[in-house]
Amino acid sequence: MTATEAERAHVSDSVREYDVIIIGAGAAGLHAIYRLRGQGLNTICLEAGDGVGGTWYWNRYPGARVDIESVEYSYTFSEELQQEWEWPERYSAQPELMRYFNHVADRFDLRRSIEFNSRVATAHFNESEDRWDVETTDGRRFSAQYLVMATGFLSAPNQPKFPGQDSFRGKTYHTAYWPAEGVDFSGQRVGIIGTGSSAVQAIPIIAQQAKHLTVFQRTPNFSVPLRNGPLSKEFEAKVKANYPEWRRMEREESFTGMIWINERPEGMVTKLTTETTPEEREAMYEDRWKNGGICFYNIYPDTFTDPVANGYLAEFMRNKIREKVNDPEVAELLCPKDYPVLTKRLCADTNYYETYNRDNVTLVDIRGKEVGLNEKGVAVDGEGYELDAVIFATGFDALTGALTRIDLRGIDGRSLNDHWSEGARTAYGLMIAGFPNLFLINGPGSPTPLFQPVLLGEEQGNWFGDWISYMAENGYTRIDAAPETEDQWVQRCTDVINATLFPKARSWYMGANIPGKPSMGLVDFGGIWNYRKYCTDLLPDGFPGFTLSNGAQQAGRAEMHAGAATAA
Ligand code: NA7
């Protein structure tokens, strides 16, 4: 036995027991610790990194910045925290977000419940105990009645293997695994593959530093100006004076969890494009363009369903690109033309399009072409680009990747990968049938990618806290979603998304950015108010469509409580 195996065996002798294991110490996991430990549950959080912050811990690439207003992309659970925290900018950069999450971890004494450097390898449901057995990659073992997956929806990087990649003599980087010490590209010929949000943020900054930057674009994205800047004291004071009401509006009256447009709170737009004059809708588009950021998601609702309505906005945005980019050929290459606007995640940038006016930046269209690496750089259909460094800004196996990369096994040892072989299936985005006592935060089938995730993560954490209390008070040890509840929820999400233009884009919302991944709507697009009602009603209605049981009855698998799903 090697030393490592001996150490592993020694560590593996003991299993540490908890009420709850939370996986992930990002925004959602930190709140889950606060909430679940706060109600007296013996809680541990296992985090792969050596610090808190999740997505923001890993994504340290140049220009990494949240594109939701920081007064909104922040916790609501503590009014004191909301009032006291001062955001220096409208949209926080990665280091500022890290300062915030570290502050929260310290202020609420969360670190003592987190075990860092703990990547979970396996999680198996122990049917005789109604508990989850969890093991980390280095062999530490844990057990808990409940397993909360706060694993993030953009946390499993997509790393396509390009032909010849290993022969490249220069350096390679992935935006989601950026070196903590940063990278100095001065004097270098740099290539970047991918033009999603990460690249759109990184490109203008790297272009200022590198000798030459070559951007390899497969699909152009729509991007709007972020218009970041210092957060004005007046705006901050106005928000803080009205936080409770405006947070209520975010939760209940907005489609996205975001309400700020040009420093005024705005409820959801309900008017249709077809009810507007050209002047009126241009004014609306310009208003949002002036605000900056991704507030375009609060727009005439038929923009998401009617190709003609969508086309007006798409053409507005293409014209903005044409205004910004000097070379008409480059401008046309940057204009998305074969999918509806908003159906791939809108990007928000600072000088992205303007960067293509620089002499040291080249855009290379790689769509439909053979892309590979060789020892000198990147080759596109045999044409070589000599480079010192290549950056992969190729995104994530979104929503499901962080879950399927763990060996998760439920009832009868069934693996999650088997269960999801034809696509991700959940009940309300909260549970997976046959995986009892496992709770998802910001999971597939929830509104998350189109709803402000810190806010929804808090709500879901709170629901699970209430459920666990209910279970304990009523002597239940197991909760599971009935298969038909899952069927109905999947059908509902599918029906809703199929009534929109989303399936027309190869996006991560549809699981279509990963080769071989089943393409389907991974998002509940049916309105946050409906979603919240379904989820908040579950407990008072006695968990229709779920099975609650306790260990004694479980031997005969009798069901103490089952009902028909009502969601769909
Ligand atoms: P995205 O938005 O998924 O972007 C990934 C980019 O990488 C996109 O342009 C892809 O082109 C491109 N890509 C991926 N695989 C390949 C291969 N094999 N060859 C060439 N190009 C490829 O990820 P980001 O990290 O930028 O942003 C993720 C989210 O973070 C974003 O949506 C915001 O919510 C924040 P494609 O479009 O697939 O043709």
Coordinates of all heavy atoms in Angstrom, one line a residue, residues 55-56 59 61 65 67 153-154 158-162 174-176 192-201 216-221 294 297 339 344-347 366-367 369 371 392-398 449 506-509 512-515, ligand 1:
T55 N -18.8 30.5 -8.2 CA -18.5 31.0 -9.6 C -17.5 32.1 -9.6 O -16.6 32.2 -10.4 CB -19.8 31.4 -10.3 OG1 -20.6 30.3 -10.6 CG2 -19.6 32.2 -11.5
W56 N -17.7 33.0 -8.6 CA -16.8 34.2 -8.5 C -15.4 33.8 -8.0 O -14.5 34.6 -8.2 CB -17.5 35.3 -7.8 CG -18.7 35.7 -8.4 CD1 -20.0 35.4 -8.1 CD2 -18.8 36.3 -9.7 NE1 -20.9 35.9 -9.0 CE2 -20.2 36.4 -10.0 CE3 -17.9 36.8 -10.6 CZ2 -20.7 37.0 -11.2 CZ3 -18.4 37.4 -11.8 CH2 -19.8 37.5 -12.1
N59 N -13.9 32.2 -11.5 CA -13.9 33.0 -12.7 C -13.1 34.3 -12.5 O -13.8 35.3 -12.3 CB -15.3 33.2 -13.3 CG -15.8 32.0 -14.0 OD1 -15.7 31.9 -15.2 ND2 -16.4 31.1 -13.2
Y61 N -10.9 35.7 -14.7 CA -10.3 36.2 -15.9 C -10.4 37.7 -16.0 O -11.3 38.3 -15.3 CB -11.1 35.6 -17.1 CG -12.5 35.8 -17.2 CD1 -13.0 37.0 -17.7 CD2 -13.5 34.9 -16.6 CE1 -14.4 37.3 -17.7 CE2 -14.8 35.2 -16.7 CZ -15.3 36.4 -17.2 OH -16.6 36.7 -17.2
R65 N -17.0 40.3 -14.2 CA -17.8 41.3 -13.5 C -19.3 40.8 -13.6 O -19.7 40.3 -14.7 CB -17.6 42.6 -14.2 CG -18.3 43.8 -13.6 CD -18.1 45.1 -14.5 NE -16.7 45.6 -14.4 CZ -16.2 46.3 -13.4 NH1 -16.9 46.6 -12.4 NH2 -14.9 46.7 -13.5
D67 N -23.2 41.2 -14.4 CA -23.9 42.1 -15.2 C -25.3 42.3 -14.8 O -26.2 42.7 -15.6 CB -23.8 41.7 -16.7 CG -24.3 40.3 -16.9 OD1 -24.9 39.7 -16.0 OD2 -24.1 39.7 -18.1
F153 N -24.9 26.8 -11.3 CA -25.4 26.4 -12.6 C -24.5 26.8 -13.7 O -24.6 26.4 -14.9 CB -26.8 27.0 -12.9 CG -26.9 28.5 -12.8 CD1 -27.0 29.2 -14.0 CD2 -26.9 29.2 -11.7 CE1 -27.1 30.6 -14.0 CE2 -27.0 30.6 -11.6 CZ -27.1 31.3 -12.8
L154 N -23.4 27.5 -13.4 CA -22.4 27.8 -14.4 C -21.0 27.5 -13.7 O -20.2 28.4 -13.4 CB -22.4 29.3 -14.8 CG -23.7 29.6 -15.7 CD1 -23.9 31.1 -15.8 CD2 -23.5 29.0 -17.1
N158 N -16.9 23.9 -19.7 CA -16.9 23.1 -20.9 C -15.5 23.2 -21.5 O -15.0 24.3 -21.8 CB -17.9 23.7 -21.9 CG -17.8 23.1 -23.3 OD1 -17.6 21.9 -23.4 ND2 -18.1 23.9 -24.3
Q159 N -14.8 22.1 -21.6 CA -13.4 22.1 -22.1 C -13.3 21.2 -23.3 O -12.8 20.1 -23.2 CB -12.5 21.6 -21.0 CG -12.4 22.6 -19.8 CD -11.5 22.0 -18.7 OE1 -11.9 21.1 -18.0 NE2 -10.3 22.6 -18.6
P160 N -13.8 21.7 -24.5 CA -13.7 20.8 -25.7 C -12.3 20.5 -26.0 O -11.4 21.4 -25.8 CB -14.4 21.7 -26.8 CG -14.4 23.1 -26.3 CD -14.4 23.0 -24.8
K161 N -12.0 19.4 -26.5 CA -10.6 19.0 -26.8 C -10.5 19.2 -28.3 O -11.1 18.6 -29.1 CB -10.5 17.5 -26.5 CG -9.0 17.0 -26.6 CD -8.3 17.2 -25.3 CE -6.9 16.7 -25.4 NZ -5.9 17.4 -24.6
F162 N -9.6 20.2 -28.6 CA -9.4 20.5 -30.1 C -8.3 19.6 -30.6 O -7.3 19.3 -29.9 CB -9.0 22.0 -30.2 CG -10.1 22.9 -29.9 CD1 -10.3 23.4 -28.7 CD2 -11.0 23.3 -30.9 CE1 -11.4 24.3 -28.4 CE2 -12.1 24.1 -30.7 CZ -12.2 24.6 -29.4
H174 N -8.2 28.5 -19.5 CA -9.7 28.5 -19.6 C -10.2 29.6 -18.7 O -9.7 29.8 -17.6 CB -10.3 27.1 -19.2 CG -11.7 27.0 -19.5 ND1 -12.7 27.7 -18.9 CD2 -12.3 26.2 -20.5 CE1 -13.9 27.4 -19.4 NE2 -13.7 26.5 -20.4
T175 N -11.1 30.4 -19.2 CA -11.6 31.5 -18.4 C -12.1 31.1 -17.0 O -11.9 31.9 -16.1 CB -12.7 32.3 -19.1 OG1 -13.7 31.3 -19.7 CG2 -12.2 33.1 -20.3
A176 N -12.6 29.9 -16.9 CA -13.2 29.5 -15.6 C -12.1 28.9 -14.7 O -12.5 28.5 -13.5 CB -14.3 28.5 -15.8
I192 N -8.1 33.8 -28.6 CA -9.2 33.4 -27.7 C -10.3 32.7 -28.6 O -10.7 33.2 -29.6 CB -9.7 34.7 -26.9 CG1 -10.8 34.3 -25.9 CG2 -10.2 35.8 -27.9 CD1 -11.1 35.3 -24.9
I193 N -10.7 31.6 -28.1 CA -11.8 30.8 -28.7 C -13.0 31.0 -27.9 O -13.1 30.6 -26.7 CB -11.4 29.3 -28.9 CG1 -10.1 29.2 -29.7 CG2 -12.5 28.5 -29.5 CD1 -9.5 27.8 -29.8
G194 N -14.1 31.5 -28.6 CA -15.3 31.7 -27.9 C -15.6 33.2 -27.8 O -14.7 34.0 -27.6
T195 N -16.9 33.5 -27.9 CA -17.4 34.9 -27.9 C -18.6 35.0 -27.1 O -19.6 35.8 -27.4 CB -17.6 35.5 -29.3 OG1 -18.4 34.5 -30.1 CG2 -16.3 35.7 -30.0
G196 N -18.7 34.3 -25.9 CA -19.8 34.4 -25.0 C -19.5 35.5 -24.0 O -18.6 36.3 -24.2
S197 N -20.3 35.6 -22.9 CA -20.1 36.7 -21.9 C -18.7 36.8 -21.4 O -18.2 37.9 -21.2 CB -21.1 36.4 -20.7 OG -22.4 36.6 -21.1
S198 N -18.1 35.6 -21.1 CA -16.7 35.7 -20.5 C -15.8 36.3 -21.5 O -15.0 37.2 -21.1 CB -16.2 34.3 -20.2 OG -17.1 33.6 -19.3
A199 N -15.8 35.9 -22.8 CA -14.9 36.5 -23.8 C -15.2 37.9 -24.0 O -14.3 38.8 -24.1 CB -15.0 35.7 -25.1
V200 N -16.5 38.3 -24.1 CA -16.9 39.6 -24.3 C -16.4 40.6 -23.2 O -16.0 41.8 -23.5 CB -18.5 39.7 -24.5 CG1 -19.0 41.1 -24.2 CG2 -18.9 39.2 -25.8
Q201 N -16.3 40.1 -22.0 CA -15.7 40.9 -20.9 C -14.2 40.9 -21.0 O -13.5 41.9 -20.7 CB -16.1 40.3 -19.6 CG -17.6 40.5 -19.3 CD -17.9 40.1 -17.8 OE1 -17.3 39.2 -17.2 NE2 -19.0 40.8 -17.3
F216 N -11.4 34.0 -32.2 CA -12.0 32.9 -33.1 C -13.4 32.8 -32.7 O -13.8 32.3 -31.6 CB -11.2 31.6 -32.8 CG -9.8 31.7 -33.2 CD1 -8.8 32.0 -32.3 CD2 -9.4 31.5 -34.5 CE1 -7.4 32.1 -32.6 CE2 -8.0 31.6 -34.9 CZ -7.1 31.9 -33.9
Q217 N -14.3 33.2 -33.6 CA -15.7 33.3 -33.3 C -16.5 32.3 -34.1 O -16.5 32.2 -35.3 CB -16.3 34.7 -33.7 CG -17.8 34.8 -33.6 CD -18.3 36.1 -34.2 OE1 -18.4 37.1 -33.5 NE2 -18.6 36.2 -35.5
R218 N -17.3 31.4 -33.4 CA -18.1 30.5 -34.0 C -19.5 31.1 -34.2 O -20.1 31.0 -35.3 CB -18.2 29.2 -33.2 CG -19.0 28.1 -33.9 CD -18.8 26.7 -33.3 NE -19.4 26.6 -32.0 CZ -19.3 25.5 -31.3 NH1 -18.6 24.4 -31.7 NH2 -19.9 25.4 -30.1
T219 N -20.1 31.7 -33.2 CA -21.4 32.3 -33.2 C -21.3 33.7 -32.6 O -20.9 33.8 -31.5 CB -22.4 31.5 -32.4 OG1 -22.3 30.1 -32.8 CG2 -23.8 32.0 -32.7
P220 N -21.7 34.7 -33.4 CA -21.7 36.1 -32.7 C -22.8 36.1 -31.7 O -23.8 35.5 -31.8 CB -21.9 37.0 -33.9 CG -22.5 36.2 -35.0 CD -22.1 34.8 -34.8
N221 N -22.6 36.9 -30.7 CA -23.6 37.1 -29.6 C -24.1 38.6 -29.7 O -23.4 39.5 -30.1 CB -23.0 36.9 -28.2 CG -23.2 35.5 -27.8 OD1 -24.3 35.0 -27.6 ND2 -22.1 34.7 -27.7
I294 N -28.4 44.0 -18.7 CA -29.3 43.0 -19.3 C -30.8 43.3 -19.0 O -31.6 42.4 -19.1 CB -28.9 41.6 -18.9 CG1 -29.0 41.4 -17.4 CG2 -27.5 41.2 -19.4 CD1 -28.9 39.9 -17.0
Y297 N -34.1 42.1 -20.8 CA -35.0 40.9 -20.6 C -36.4 41.3 -20.1 O -37.4 40.6 -20.1 CB -34.4 39.9 -19.6 CG -33.4 39.0 -20.3 CD1 -32.0 39.3 -20.3 CD2 -33.8 37.9 -21.1 CE1 -31.1 38.6 -21.0 CE2 -32.9 37.2 -21.8 CZ -31.5 37.5 -21.7 OH -30.6 36.7 -22.4
Y339 N -30.3 33.5 -35.2 CA -31.1 33.1 -34.0 C -31.8 34.3 -33.4 O -31.2 35.4 -33.5 CB -30.3 32.3 -33.0 CG -29.2 33.1 -32.3 CD1 -29.4 33.9 -31.2 CD2 -27.9 33.2 -32.9 CE1 -28.4 34.6 -30.6 CE2 -26.9 33.9 -32.3 CZ -27.2 34.7 -31.2 OH -26.2 35.4 -30.6
K344 N -30.1 33.4 -26.8 CA -28.9 33.0 -26.1 C -28.6 34.1 -25.1 O -29.1 35.3 -25.3 CB -27.7 33.1 -27.2 CG -27.5 31.7 -27.9 CD -26.6 31.9 -29.1 CE -25.2 31.6 -28.8 NZ -24.9 30.2 -28.9
R345 N -28.0 33.8 -24.0 CA -27.8 34.8 -23.0 C -27.2 36.1 -23.5 O -26.1 36.1 -24.1 CB -27.0 34.2 -21.9 CG -26.6 35.1 -20.7 CD -27.7 35.7 -20.0 NE -27.4 36.0 -18.6 CZ -26.6 37.0 -18.2 NH1 -26.0 37.8 -19.1 NH2 -26.4 37.2 -16.9
L346 N -27.9 37.2 -23.3 CA -27.4 38.5 -23.7 C -26.1 38.8 -23.0 O -26.0 38.5 -21.8 CB -28.5 39.5 -23.3 CG -28.4 40.9 -23.9 CD1 -28.5 40.9 -25.5 CD2 -29.6 41.8 -23.4
C347 N -25.2 39.3 -23.7 CA -23.9 39.8 -23.1 C -24.0 41.3 -22.8 O -24.8 42.0 -23.4 CB -22.7 39.6 -24.0 SG -22.5 37.9 -24.5
I366 N -15.0 31.1 -37.5 CA -14.6 29.7 -37.6 C -15.9 28.8 -37.8 O -15.8 27.6 -37.7 CB -13.9 29.2 -36.3 CG1 -14.7 29.5 -35.0 CG2 -12.5 29.9 -36.2 CD1 -14.1 28.9 -33.8
R367 N -17.0 29.5 -38.0 CA -18.2 28.7 -38.1 C -18.1 27.6 -39.3 O -17.7 27.9 -40.4 CB -19.4 29.6 -38.4 CG -20.6 28.8 -38.8 CD -21.8 29.6 -38.8 NE -22.0 30.3 -37.5 CZ -23.1 30.7 -37.1 NH1 -24.2 30.5 -37.7 NH2 -23.2 31.4 -35.9
K369 N -16.0 25.5 -39.7 CA -14.6 25.2 -40.2 C -13.9 24.2 -39.2 O -14.3 24.1 -38.1 CB -13.8 26.5 -40.3 CG -14.4 27.4 -41.4 CD -13.7 28.7 -41.5 CE -14.3 29.5 -42.6 NZ -13.9 30.9 -42.6
V371 N -11.2 23.4 -36.8 CA -10.4 24.2 -35.9 C -9.5 23.3 -35.1 O -10.0 22.3 -34.5 CB -11.2 25.1 -34.9 CG1 -10.3 25.9 -34.0 CG2 -12.1 26.0 -35.6
F392 N -9.3 29.6 -23.8 CA -10.5 28.9 -24.1 C -11.6 29.6 -23.3 O -11.6 29.5 -22.1 CB -10.5 27.4 -23.8 CG -9.4 26.7 -24.6 CD1 -8.2 26.3 -23.9 CD2 -9.5 26.5 -25.9 CE1 -7.2 25.6 -24.6 CE2 -8.5 25.8 -26.7 CZ -7.4 25.4 -26.0
A393 N -12.5 30.3 -24.0 CA -13.6 31.0 -23.3 C -14.9 30.2 -23.8 O -15.8 30.8 -24.3 CB -13.7 32.4 -23.7
T394 N -14.8 28.9 -23.6 CA -15.8 28.0 -24.2 C -17.0 27.6 -23.3 O -17.8 26.7 -23.6 CB -15.1 26.7 -24.6 OG1 -14.2 26.3 -23.6 CG2 -14.3 27.0 -25.9
G395 N -17.1 28.4 -22.2 CA -18.4 28.3 -21.4 C -18.4 27.1 -20.5 O -17.4 26.5 -20.0
F396 N -19.7 26.6 -20.2 CA -20.0 25.6 -19.2 C -20.9 24.6 -19.6 O -21.8 24.8 -20.5 CB -20.6 26.4 -18.0 CG -19.7 27.4 -17.4 CD1 -19.7 28.7 -17.9 CD2 -18.8 27.1 -16.4 CE1 -18.9 29.7 -17.4 CE2 -18.0 28.1 -15.9 CZ -18.0 29.4 -16.4
D397 N -20.8 23.4 -19.0 CA -21.9 22.4 -19.1 C -22.9 22.9 -18.0 O -22.9 22.5 -16.9 CB -21.3 21.1 -18.7 CG -22.4 20.0 -18.9 OD1 -23.6 20.3 -19.1 OD2 -22.1 18.8 -18.7
A398 N -23.7 23.9 -18.5 CA -24.6 24.6 -17.6 C -25.7 23.8 -17.0 O -26.2 22.9 -17.6 CB -25.2 25.8 -18.3
P449 N -31.7 30.5 -14.6 CA -30.9 31.3 -15.5 C -31.5 32.6 -16.0 O -30.8 33.5 -16.4 CB -30.7 30.3 -16.6 CG -31.1 29.0 -16.2 CD -32.1 29.2 -15.1
R506 N -28.9 27.5 -30.4 CA -28.1 26.5 -29.8 C -27.5 27.1 -28.5 O -26.4 27.5 -28.5 CB -27.0 26.0 -30.7 CG -27.4 25.0 -31.7 CD -26.3 24.5 -32.6 NE -25.0 24.3 -31.8 CZ -24.0 25.1 -31.9 NH1 -23.9 26.1 -32.7 NH2 -22.9 24.8 -31.1
S507 N -28.3 27.1 -27.4 CA -27.9 27.8 -26.2 C -27.7 26.9 -25.1 O -28.2 25.7 -25.1 CB -28.9 28.9 -25.8 OG -30.0 28.2 -25.3
W508 N -27.0 27.4 -24.0 CA -26.9 26.5 -22.8 C -28.3 26.4 -22.1 O -28.5 25.5 -21.3 CB -25.8 26.9 -21.9 CG -25.7 28.3 -21.4 CD1 -24.9 29.3 -21.9 CD2 -26.4 28.8 -20.2 NE1 -25.1 30.5 -21.1 CE2 -26.0 30.2 -20.1 CE3 -27.3 28.3 -19.3 CZ2 -26.4 31.0 -19.1 CZ3 -27.7 29.1 -18.3 CH2 -27.3 30.4 -18.2
Y509 N -29.2 27.4 -22.3 CA -30.5 27.3 -21.7 C -31.2 26.0 -22.2 O -32.0 25.4 -21.5 CB -31.5 28.4 -22.2 CG -31.1 29.8 -21.8 CD1 -31.2 30.8 -22.7 CD2 -30.6 30.1 -20.5 CE1 -30.9 32.1 -22.3 CE2 -30.3 31.4 -20.1 CZ -30.5 32.4 -21.0 OH -30.2 33.7 -20.7
A512 N -27.9 22.9 -25.4 CA -27.4 22.6 -26.8 C -26.0 23.0 -27.1 O -25.5 22.9 -28.2 CB -28.4 23.3 -27.8
N513 N -25.3 23.6 -26.0 CA -23.9 24.0 -26.3 C -22.9 22.9 -26.1 O -21.8 23.1 -26.3 CB -23.6 25.2 -25.3 CG -23.6 24.8 -23.9 OD1 -24.4 24.0 -23.4 ND2 -22.7 25.3 -23.1
I514 N -23.4 21.7 -25.6 CA -22.5 20.6 -25.3 C -22.8 19.5 -26.2 O -23.9 19.0 -26.2 CB -22.7 20.2 -23.8 CG1 -22.5 21.3 -22.8 CG2 -21.8 19.0 -23.5 CD1 -21.0 21.8 -22.7
P515 N -21.8 19.1 -27.0 CA -22.1 17.9 -27.9 C -22.6 16.7 -27.2 O -22.0 16.3 -26.1 CB -20.7 17.7 -28.6 CG -19.9 18.9 -28.3 CD -20.4 19.6 -27.1
Ligands
NA7_1 P1 -20.9 30.9 -23.3 O1 -21.8 32.0 -23.3 O2 -21.5 29.5 -23.3 O3 -19.9 31.1 -24.5 C1 -19.0 30.0 -24.9 C2 -18.4 30.4 -26.2 O4 -17.5 29.4 -26.6 C3 -19.4 30.6 -27.3 O5 -19.1 31.6 -28.1 C4 -19.3 29.2 -28.0 O6 -19.7 29.3 -29.4 C5 -17.8 29.0 -27.9 N1 -17.5 27.6 -28.0 C6 -17.8 26.6 -27.2 N2 -17.3 25.4 -27.7 C7 -16.6 25.7 -28.8 C8 -15.9 24.9 -29.8 N3 -15.8 23.6 -29.6 N4 -15.4 25.6 -30.8 C9 -15.5 26.9 -31.0 N5 -16.2 27.7 -30.1 C10 -16.8 27.1 -29.0 O7 -19.9 30.9 -22.0 P2 -19.4 32.1 -21.2 O8 -18.4 31.6 -20.2 O9 -18.9 33.1 -22.1 O10 -20.6 32.7 -20.4 C11 -21.4 31.8 -19.6 C12 -22.4 32.6 -18.8 O11 -21.7 33.3 -17.8 C13 -23.1 33.6 -19.6 O12 -24.1 33.1 -20.4 C14 -23.6 34.6 -18.5 O13 -24.7 34.1 -17.9 C15 -22.5 34.5 -17.5 P3 -21.2 28.9 -29.8 O14 -22.0 30.0 -29.3 O15 -21.5 27.6 -29.0 O16 -21.2 28.6 -31.2

